[in-house]
Each structure stands twice: as C-alpha cells, then as structure tokens.
C-alpha cells in the first residue's frame, strides 16, 4: 500500500473536518447530495467528452497505481542482470534459456527470450524501446484524464455555486432563507476545489511520477539485456547500470582498477 | 457514434439539471435568450477575429470527429500489410496492382500505388510523411479553434455578467428588482463557464487525441508500405508493426526463433 | 478584406449591444471616458514599457495583417516554379534572366536573381533561409505586443474598477450614490476584459497564424528556387512542392509512372 | 534614454491619475504608507527568498537596461568587420593589431585580440560562444527576478487586502467606518496589481528583449571575427552578415555577380 | 547562512506585521489554530498524495539548501584542475594518486580516481555525466514538491475560507457574529496565499537555482578531469574552464600568445 497516498488523504480529511468542527461547523452542512451530483456528474461528463473511451478506462485503471506500492528493486535487478551477463559470457547466451523459468518480471523474461532466440540486435532494441515508449505514452494519457478532471472540477464547482446563487437571488425577498441558500451554493465550490486539489491533481502527479520510474526500470532492463547480447564484460555492465540504480559510482571503479 | 462524447454530454446535463431541480430551481431561470446572445455571439465573434476563415471552417468540420466513432483496426491493418509484404516478396511489387482494387483506405491505396508505380523510395517517404504531417498540422489548427473558444467563452460570460450587474446597480433604489437582476446577470457566467467546460475544451481535447491516433495509423501504413518497397521479410515486418498495434511483443519473437 | 476579422468584430459588438439593449440597459451607461482613459492609457503605457520602440511600432503596423486579405496562391506559385525549372533545364539558368521582369513577388524575384547571378548554392540557401527566419522572428515580436496588451488590459481594468470602488467606499454614507458608483467602476472591467478578448488576443492569434502561413509560402519559394539551381527534374519538383500546397499526392505520382 | 519606458510610465500614471481625478477621486485616498509597506516589503521579501543574492543584485542592476538606450548600430558594425576582413586579407591578420586601439566595443576588441594572437580557431569559437551564452544566461536570471516580482506582487496585494478586510470585519458593528476600511484594504490590491503590471512584468519583458538583441549583436561580432580568422572574402562576409543587420539581401548579391 | 533567504523572510514578515499593526489590526486576529490546521493539514496531505514517499522526503531535506550558503569557489576549483593537469602532463596521470588525499570535494575525488585507475575515457564520461544528470533530476523532483505545495496552499486556503463562510451563512440571522465569522474565514486565505508566496514558491525557485549552479560546478569538474585524462595542455584547459567561472576571457589569451 502506498503510504503517502493513504496517509495524505487521511491527513487532509482529518485536518479539514476536525478544523471545521472546532470552528463550530457541522459535517452535515457540507454533505449535500445535489451539489455532489452537479459537480461530480458534470466533471465526469466533461472528462468523458474530452477523452475516447479507451483512454478514459485507462485513467480509471491507473488509480490503483496511486494506492499500490510496487517497490522497484533496481539494485537487485542490476545484480540479476550482471549475473546473467556472467552466465552469457561463460557459457554463451543459449545457457540463459535454463534461467528463463526463474525470471518473474514479464518484461525481463520477454527481453531475455529475444537474446536466447538469437533475434537480431537492432530488432531487439527497436522492439524493446518501442514497447517501453508505447506503454509509457498510452499510460500517460491515463494520467492526463485525472489532470483534466482536476481542471474541470473547480469550474464545474463554480458553475454549481452560480446556479445555486441564481436560485438564492430569485428568492431575495425572503431574507431568512438567504444565508442557508448561499451556504448550499458554496458547497458546490467546496466539492469542486476539494476534489481537484485533494484527489484529481495529486493523483495525476503521482501516476505520472510512477510511470516515469517504471519507464526507467524497463530502460535499465533493456540496456542490460542489450549489453548481454553484445557480450559485455559483467564488471563494465555493473558500472554502466549504476547510473540507473543511483548507487555511488567510483568505488567499484576502484575495485575494477 | 462516439459513446463517451454523447454519454458525457447527457450525463453532465442530466446531473446539472436534475441537481438544480432538486434544489428547487427552475430550468426556466437559466434559459435566457439575451445572455445566450451576448455569450455565444461574443465568443464566436472573438474566435472569428482570431482565425482565418479557412481555419475557422476546419474547426467547425472537425466537430464531427467528436461524435463519429471511426474505429482504427490497427491489428487488421498490420495483418493486411504483412500479407501484401508476402505477395510482394513472392511475386514482386507489381503483383500488388491486382490487389489495389480491394483496398478501401484511401491513404493505403495511395501509398501502395507509389510502390506499384515504382516511384523512388526517397520520394515515396518524403511524400507520405509530408502528407501525414501537413494534414495533422492543418487539422490541429482546427482543434485550436475550439481551444480558443474555450478560452474566450468564460471571459465573455464574465463580460455579460458585469454588463448585467451594471444595469442592476443603476436601479439599486428598487431593491425588489435586485435579486432577479443579479440572477439574470449570473446566467451569462453559467453559459460562458458551462459551454467552455462541457463543450469547447473537451471537444478540443478529444479532437487532438483523435488526430494523434489517426496520425499514428497513417504512420503505421507509411512504415509498412515503405518496408514492402524495400522487400522486407513479412515476419520481420510483423514484428516491426507490433510497436504500433500495441500487441505483446515477445511471443512472436519466440515463434520466429 | 479579411472577412472573419471584420465579421467577427461586427458580430461580437452586435450581439453584446443588442443583448444589453434587450435586457433594458442603455449603451450610454457603458460609455465612459474616464474608464476608457484609465484602461487604455494604462494598457498602452504598460506595453510601451514592455517593448522597445521598434517592436512597439512593428506591432502597430502588423494590425493591418488582421484586416488585409492577401490570399496566398500556393498552387499558382508551385506551377510558376515548375515552369521556371523547365526553362532552366532546357535553356540553362541564365535563360531565367528574361523572365525576372514578369515576377511580381519580391522574394521570388530576389531568389531567382541569386540563381541567375550564379551565387554559390550554400550562400543562396543561407541567405534565403536567414532572411525568412529573421523576418518571421522580427514580426513575431510584433504579435507578442498584442498578446501582452491582451494580458495587461484585464488587470488594468481591474485596477480601474478597484480605484472606482475605493471612491465608492469612501462615500458609503450616501447609499443613493452607491449603485451608480459601482456601475461606473464596473465599466473599467468591461473595457479591460472586452478589449483583451475581442481585440488584443484575437489579433495576436491571427497575426501569428498569418505570419506562419507567409513563412510557409516563402519556404516553398526557397525550396523551389534552390531545386532549380540544382537542376531538378520539373516533374520531381512538382511532386516535391505538393507537400506545401496541400494538394492530393498520389495522382501525379501515377501520371509520373 | 529609452523613450518608450519613460513615456509608457508617464502615460500610464497620467491616464490613471487624471482618470481618477475626473471621477472625483482624491490622489490622497490611494496614497497609503501601510499598504505600500505590506505590498512592497512582502514582495521584495518573497523575491529575496526566491533568488540567491548574486541573482537578486543582478536583477537590480539590469533595471538600467529599461531606461538606457544603447542603440546597436549593426550596419556600422558589419561595415567595420568587412573592413577588417579586407585588411586581414590584404596584409595578414597581424596587420589588425594596429587597429585594435581604435576599437571601442570591448567584446569586439577581445575577439580581434584572439585573431591577432593566433589562438586556435576552435578555442576562439568555443571561448567567444561560451562567453556569449554564459553572459546571456546569467543576465536572464536577472530578468526572472523581475518576472517573479510581477508574480508575487498581486498575490501579496491580495494578502494585504484580506488582512485589511479582516480588520474591517472585526469592526462591523460600526458601519460608519465600514466604507473607509474597505477602501483602505483595496489600496493594497491597487499597489500589488499596479506595480506588477506597470513596472515589474514590463521591466522583465523589456530586459529579456534587450538581452536577446545584445546576444544577437555579439553573435554577429563572433561570426564576423571567426570568418576573418578563416580568411573570408570581404564581399562574402558582407553578404553573410546581412542576415543579422536585417538589410535587404539580394541587391549586393547582384553587385557581387 | 543564505542571507537573502533569512533576510527575505524577516523583511516580509516585518513589513506585513508592522503594516497590519499600523492599520490598527491585532496580530491575534490572524493567529488561528483551526485555519492553520485546515490549510497546512490539507496542503501537506495533497502533497503527500501527489508524490511518492522518497520524493516527499527529498523535498523536505532540500529545504536546507535554501538556508545553507555553500559558496561554490569556481575560480579556485578551476585553478586546482589546471594544477592537476600540469602534474598529469609532467609526471603522468598516476602521479595524481598522491594528491587524492588532499581533495575534499567527493565528486572531484571520485572523478580523479577514475583517471588514476585508468578507467576507459568513454566509461568515465558516461559515468560522470550520468551521475550528474541522475542527481540533478532526482533533486529537481524535490524542488517540485515545494512548487506543488505552492500550488495547493492557496486553493486549500480558499477551501478553508468557503467552509468558514458556509458556517457564517448558516448563522446569518445573528448579524453581530457576522463580521467576526467572516474575519475568521478570511484567515484561511491569508495562510494559504501567504505560505505559498512567502515560503513554498520562493523555496522551489531557490532550490532549483542552486541545483542548477551545483550541476554547473560538477560539469566543470567533469570537463576538467576528462581533459586531464586526454592529456590537455594546462593553459588550454585554463582557457576552456573560463566559460564556467565567468571570468573575463581574452586577457589570458593575450598572455598565452
């Protein structure tokens, strides 16, 4: 579970609700079905108009990236690749075939399969890089679905507020209803601004960031496997992959000396 | 029919109108001819000033992209190209001439015609890529027409509201008319913000996205046909086109081994 | 005359003024000299501070691009270039000298002069492309003058409104003057928002677009003349220039086969 | 003196103050020390937090670029370079040493010194281009200091207004003070919006533009001197430098023929 | 200690608080625990949702960059590198091993170690540049944490204000509480706008700028060490590094002549 997503939502809600309670407000006064209907119905509708069905569904599916916590063990991955490089150098790339079964990551297995199958190096590179880019771009559109929801929600919230205020203004001769009417109208603003800033925009930012980290992980795999195919020296590969894992360069260079 | 466009518009309108009705508002109070005249007349006028006639008309025509649902069958297209590659390899590119009649897609037919006519490979590439880019850029301006309408509408709506408020303020001594006057003034804001967020901006986003998908589809065709002209191995072409169709790479590589 | 510029301005003004009249407003209540003085004086001042005199004057001159309607006959231009290519191929580039007199477009004449004078091809290319880029960049600054006017006007309008409201607030004890004072203050907002959205920003967009079309036209000329200098086959040139004119590729390829 | 900077400031101030006077407002009501303290103190503070001391000071120094009017005589400069090219061609680059004393522009002198000293052409190019880029980037940060002041000022102005309104609201039971209190609060908005739109943002725009023109001037010098080092034909150099001076190409090409 | 950061915060706070006191306001009226809870709790929550834990912590750690004042002595560094270049040229790169102990900067030591170890030049370049880029990108995300806090805070502040206003509106029948309630609601706006403009956004700007300066410093080291590895002439290296140190080029070129 992604602790900052869950913790952030809990913190924001607790802070706002407790703060409101301390000021003497009632939670009930900001729970309003019609405002929710206008703001979320309008926002979902606008997002649906803005994106093809496939992109919209992709955006929905990507929400789980905000909550899941797939740790990318880049150091372990680099170590694994260096080991395969040793095997390939000692016993030839075909010797990697026996190791394929133990590989859990589907992208790594697919990449190693190319090497074992003796696919041409250029085709391997084009295919792997093409797959990484295509997946990234496709998913990025999903992140944009949330970004656009974060753009529409506050304006639809204002729309809801103005609609409410119109209703209030038409009944201005009964001042006793004035305050309550305005309060009701403001709830739509709260929903629009709140959902955009506590959910939609942060979701978009987190999804984009995680997509980028996943892209880097796959690029590390692709670089590693392509180097294995070229028959790289495992120690040089270790050095090369260090740029991805963020470990301190230098020391191993010392060892290598 | 593009189900998300139609469904999104229906959802947004239903949510807003039902929500408003539940709050006790009347649809009639947000139906106002003069506000519509100011907001939409002003917005259309501003967009007309901003774009040459040709671009403006292009934007108008592109609306149908939001509602149409031309499914791009990339897998079928790739299969077709691989088949033509087999034909060309077995019987020479001239053998493709007999197949031209069955090709429905005009861009594919035009591209194959180049191959059959034995046009120089560089001219073919320049012409096809030039045509793809030129069409994309020209249509993108059409999407910008909607984007700019989405930018002008809310400010023109505020203009209409301020004009209405000026009228209200001049008659401030008659408080009984105050509320109704303000309500009327606010309707212009509703029209401006609403049309921008439920129509203009989502239209621009969807048109741009569909233009990009169409560009990718044509690039797939161009890549495929250029490879056929070079006499590519159909199996390698199959692998190559997989980056466009988004199908899982790897497995066929296995088969190919 | 650019019909969308004039038509757009007329439409926007008609819609807003008729709409206002239908709501019972008087045109007189939004005609206010002091508000105009504050908003337009302030905006022009800000733009003058923001740009050197030369750029400011360039921006002023470019307004005529919004109203003029210089149609670029790209097809005719391409045909003309193909014809010159035929002449140059048949009789040598010097034979073009006799045709120079009939060339009306100064850029085309200048470019052909280079060919006739036997200027080195690289110098020709550098000079023509340098001239196209330099002119485009210089004029683009002129478009930015309008863009920046469109950015300053609404904020200066708000400045004027707040100044007016300050005056109103100081005389709050006389409620009978309240409404009129606020109305007057709001007129500054109308001027700022209106001038930015109906003139300044649309002007900037249209100027930029027309500059880009003009740049494409000159690039077509440069490409054509450079090809003539290289002694290109007129039919290949025809094909090549099709990317600029936006005509259907393919058919002539057929003819060429 | 840069006439548009001074004229723009005078025009904007005159328009606003005269306009306000005509509406019956007093200049005194917008002269308020505490509002100025809050807005300008807060803005300067925010800008200081945002930039290292060196960049902040650079921004302060660059203000003089808005007011100074260093005309760049590009044609004269080009003529001078062409003359040096003639000297270098006729008598060798060492003959330029005698001319160094008459060169007033420090960058041109420095560049010619490289040629006279026989420094390697690549080192000359790297050093000159490196110096141009480094100076431009360093000064551009100074322009960003003003840009960021233009971003902070309006929000700090709103901060001041809200602080004033809080004070007003706490004394709501005395309506006689209401108007004056609100008026005072609004002055902070006037200061924030006004300073940003009449000074800070226009300053940033003008500084950036002048930095760019200065960069172009130095690039002209570098190109010219590097060509002299290569022993270019003075007439070709004249043609080459025309792209920078914006003079009509073509005619001299004619002469050169 | 970074004097502009501390001085800027002190100046901004002093200006605002003294200004407020002069206007007759009490500091107490803008000290409100519940508003702080809503605004800062909500903002921190939103930022946590938006960034993975690692990036969030990185952002927190980078705050010290705003306050620390690590002066980068680029001239001293360049001098040091030139000295090492002399040593390497005279006595071979291995002679640098004895100097490694005196090198305090870890990145410089690491880079020199590569040279001493005789690591391949391409691997050295890739590793050093990869390390510089990776560190910069990783830290830049930390700066974006503050930037996004600066984006969320004002909107969460408005959220808090609207929540407060809803509470006020519900108790509209008791006018005596109206002013105080609105004042309380406005404090949330003050917190949101104030924290964003006096802390979060300036912090983001300063961190980014310092990261860029640090990147330039490391690039200078990498360039210098790579040149040493190539056996560059110390005087040429001195000239080359001048682009980074911002010292006047030209004079040393004179000396070198």
């Amino acid at each position: 579970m992604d602790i900052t997503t869950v913790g952030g939502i809990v913190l924001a809600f607790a802070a706002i609700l407790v703060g409101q309670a301390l000021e003497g407000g009632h939670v009930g006064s900001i729970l309003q079905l019609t405002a929710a209907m206008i703001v979320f119905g309008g926002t979902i509708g606008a997002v649906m108009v803005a994106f093809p069905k496939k992109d919209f569904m992709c955006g929905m599916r990507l929400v789980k990236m905000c909550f899941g916590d797939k740790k990318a063990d880049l150091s372990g991955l680099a170590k694994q690749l260096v080991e395969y490089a040793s095997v390939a150098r000692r016993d030839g790339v075909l010797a990697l075939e026996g190791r394929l079964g133990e590989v859990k990551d589907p992208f790594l297995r697919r990449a190693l399969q190319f090497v074992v199958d003796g696919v041409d190096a250029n085709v391997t590179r084009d295919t792997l890089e093409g797959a990484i880019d295509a997946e990234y771009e496709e998913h990025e559109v999903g992140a944009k679905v949330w970004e656009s929801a974060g753009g529409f929600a506050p304006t639809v919230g204002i729309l809801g507020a103005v609609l409410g205020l119109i209703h209030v203004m038409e009944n201005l001769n009964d001042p006793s209803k004035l305050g309550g009417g305005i309060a009701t109208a403001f709830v739509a603003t709260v929903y629009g601004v709140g959902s955009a800033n506590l959910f939609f925009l942060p979701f978009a930012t987190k999804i984009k960031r995680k997509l980028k980290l996943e892209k880097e992980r796959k690029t590390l795999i692709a670089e590693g496997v392509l180097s294995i195919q070229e028959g790289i020296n495992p120690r040089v590969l270790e050095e090369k992959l260090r740029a991805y894992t963020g470990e301190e360069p230098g020391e191993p260079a010392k060892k290598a000396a």
Side-chain angles (χ1 to χ4, degrees), chain A:
Chain A
M1 205 174 68
D2 184 324
I3 199 162
T4 55
T5 303
V6 176
I9 291 175
V10 169
L11 171 59
F13 266 75
I16 290 170
L17 294 181
V18 170
Q20 226 229 343
L22 288 178
E23 279 185 10
H26 310 288
V27 172
S29 62
I30 55 170
L31 285 182
Q32 219 186 313
L33 198 66
T34 53
M37 185 185 280
I38 291 175
V39 175
F40 299 117
T43 302
I44 295 173
V47 174
M48 280 172 68
V49 178
F51 289 92
K53 192 182 160 197
K54 202 183 148 197
D55 297 336
F56 184 83
M57 299 312 293
C58 171
M60 293 304 106
R61 271 198 313 276
L62 287 183
V63 177
K64 65 170 185 285
M65 284 188 77
C66 297
F67 291 94
D69 197 22
K70 209 169 80 174
K71 275 275 189 314
D73 177 18
L74 295 184
S75 304
L77 195 57
K79 208 180 278 177
Q80 205 177 350
L81 285 163
V82 170
E83 196 198 320
Y84 293 154
S86 304
V87 171
R89 251 214 156 177
R90 212 174 43 229
D91 311 320
V93 291
L94 284 179
L96 289 172
E97 189 150 32
R99 310 295 290 267
L100 278 177
E102 76 188 40
V103 179
K104 291 214 188 74
D105 185 90
F107 188 77
L108 175 53
R109 196 166 54 231
R110 187 191 300 163
L112 285 172
Q113 184 73 53
F114 275 69
V115 176
V116 170
D117 290 344
V119 175
D120 176 71
N122 284 330
V123 174
T124 306
R125 175 174 292 278
D126 286 358
T127 309
L128 292 183
E129 290 182 350
I132 293 173
D133 287 348
E135 193 194 83
Y136 179 72
E137 277 171 31
E138 193 191 317
H139 285 175
E140 210 190 10
V141 174
K144 277 183 189 158
V145 167
W146 289 101
E147 205 171 71
S148 104
F152 288 132
T155 45
V156 176
I158 286 168
L159 198 72
V162 174
L163 285 174
L165 289 176
I166 289 174
H167 187 47
V168 168
M169 289 299 155
E170 287 178 331
N171 300 292
L172 210 55
N173 5 15
D174 183 357
S176 71
K177 287 184 180 166
L178 185 62
I182 295 178
T184 303
F186 280 1
V187 171
T189 309
V190 171
Y191 284 1
V193 173
S195 61
N197 285 282
L198 302 184
F199 294 105
F200 302 155
L201 294 175
F203 279 8
T205 306
K206 184 162 269 179
I207 291 171
K208 272 191 193 165
R209 178 69 181 151
K210 288 197 168 175
L211 288 176
K212 214 178 154 217
L213 292 172
E214 172 66 9
K215 191 184 179 184
E216 281 173 17
R217 196 184 69 88
K218 289 200 168 151
T219 307
L220 182 157
I221 292 178
E223 280 307 316
V225 169
L226 284 163
S227 299
I228 291 174
Q229 201 171 22
E230 286 168 11
I232 200 174
N233 179 323
R235 280 213 307 241
V236 177
L237 178 62
E238 195 178 350
E239 192 65 43
K240 202 173 173 181
L241 296 183
R242 203 152 270 136
Y244 294 93
T245 58
E247 276 166 31
E248 289 292 286
E251 290 113 52
K254 215 167 178 173
K255 270 188 282 170

